[in-house]
Amino acid sequence: MLSIGDFARLAGVSVRMLRHYDRLGLVSAARVDPHTGYRFYEPRQLQRVHALIGLKDLGFTLEQIGPMLAGQIDTETFRELLDRRRAALREQIDADHRRLADVERHLRLMEGNTVMEFIEKSLPALELSQRTATVADRSQIGPVIGPMFEELVAAQIEAAGQPAHPAYAWYRADGERLDFGAGFDTEIDGFETGELDAVERAVTVTYVGPMSGIGDAWAELGTHVASLGLEPYGPCREVYLDTNGPQEKWVTELHQPVRG
């Protein structure tokens, strides 16, 4: 037989915790010396302790574990308990993701950066005068979409003396390719017409800063959508609300349609 100290060492728990388990009737000593009160355990009891620890690691309470170790829980009931535990863990993960996003926003605020506020809303249908393109990698968008907007703005200024406002861009992944477009919701001669359907539910955020940082803003928006357990789908949109002055002050609204 093993002394309580040796048994605790082999089991990977403290002597104090073994005494606690004994008081609860979860793992009782195989023998207690009637004169000294010393507890002794059989090596085969290690399996019971390891089972107890495994159930604790799954998040079950000692009150729940007792009937499990005693064989009072059948397979179907145990499956139901595991299903409930899985649901509780998923809720906890979602809550932790939201807390993490809040912490990161507070850190950005302390560092003097803009705190991003996510808002859910519907999106209107749009009819755009646009240019479109297809690329194989997101890194190829920048060199293409810039000239597209320059062409649109030049045509609008020539026709009306000033560019339309605001400007829009949309993006839609299709397998290994990425389709996108740039345009204005006003008619411009010589440009194709495209339509964006109304969206019942979208998560949006306003980004203030240069276009070089918009990828990070999209990544943060995507993380937030995932933390809510929502499924993103396309096309997503960028609305350029203010592009006057230096890019550090540009204001862009990001729109991600979601469902779920």
Side-chain angles (χ1 to χ4, degrees):
M1 301 188 78
L2 299 170
S3 69
I4 190 171
D6 289 339
F7 187 79
R9 177 175 54 82
L10 292 173
V13 299
S14 67
V15 169
R16 180 185 64 81
M17 189 57 67
L18 271 181
R19 294 182 187 276
H20 181 56
Y21 294 157
D22 197 345
R23 286 193 297 271
L24 294 176
L26 296 174
V27 184
S28 299
R31 184 174 72 85
V32 179
D33 189 294
H35 301 293
T36 63
Y38 291 163
R39 290 174 169 84
F40 296 90
Y41 294 81
E42 297 283 359
R44 59 183 172 78
Q45 290 181 279
L46 289 171
Q47 184 176 356
R48 184 179 179 90
V49 177
H50 292 154
L52 187 157
I53 293 172
L55 291 168
K56 279 187 63 181
D57 288 343
L58 290 176
F60 292 113
T61 66
L62 294 180
E63 289 75 12
Q64 293 173 312
I65 291 172
M68 296 176 186
L69 294 178
Q72 299 171 359
I73 303 295
D74 59 32
T75 301
E76 187 60 33
T77 301
F78 185 55
R79 180 182 294 276
E80 291 176 2
L81 290 171
L82 285 174
D83 284 338
R84 292 176 197 166
R85 184 60 189 150
R86 176 172 59 185
L89 286 171
R90 285 175 173 170
E91 290 178 3
Q92 182 63 51
I93 290 170
D94 290 343
D96 287 343
H97 280 155
R98 289 191 291 271
R99 292 191 186 99
L100 177 60
D102 289 339
V103 169
E104 290 174 342
R105 284 195 291 274
H106 282 293
L107 285 172
R108 285 195 302 271
L109 180 61
M110 294 174 65
E111 294 166 358
N113 297 324
T114 301
V115 177
M116 303 183 78
E117 180 181 2
F118 300 100
I119 298 173
E120 187 173 313
K121 63 182 181 181
S122 60
L123 303 179
L126 291 174
E127 185 173 300
L128 301 177
S129 294
Q130 62 180 14
R131 284 285 187 256
T132 60
T134 299
V135 296
D137 186 84
R138 291 183 182 276
S139 63
Q140 301 171 349
I141 294 176
V144 176
I145 200 169
M148 289 165 60
F149 270 120
E150 290 176 1
E151 185 182 0
L152 284 158
V153 170
Q156 183 68 15
I157 290 176
E158 181 177 355
Q162 61 181 6
H165 186 80
Y168 295 87
W170 57 266
Y171 308 90
R172 178 175 49 233
D174 185 8
E176 296 182 354
R177 73 180 194 181
L178 182 68
D179 300 323
F180 63 97
F184 294 96
D185 62 342
T186 185
E187 184 176 352
I188 304 176
D189 290 339
F191 289 83
E192 65 179 284
T193 299
E195 295 182 356
L196 293 176
D197 294 334
V199 174
E200 181 178 345
R201 191 178 183 192
V203 178
T204 72
V205 67
T206 299
Y207 165 71
V208 180
M211 291 297 100
S212 59
I214 205 164
D216 291 336
W218 272 114
E220 187 160 351
L221 176 56
T223 299
H224 180 72
V225 168
S227 75
L228 298 177
L230 299 174
E231 178 189 357
Y233 69 97
C236 56
R237 312 179 186 184
E238 291 175 359
V239 185
Y240 307 104
L241 301 175
D242 187 349
T243 54
N244 295 318
Q247 282 200 19
E248 286 72 17
K249 296 183 178 181
W250 283 14
V251 180
T252 307
E253 202 170 82
L254 313 183
H255 296 170
Q256 177 59 68
V258 295
R259 55 193 169 198

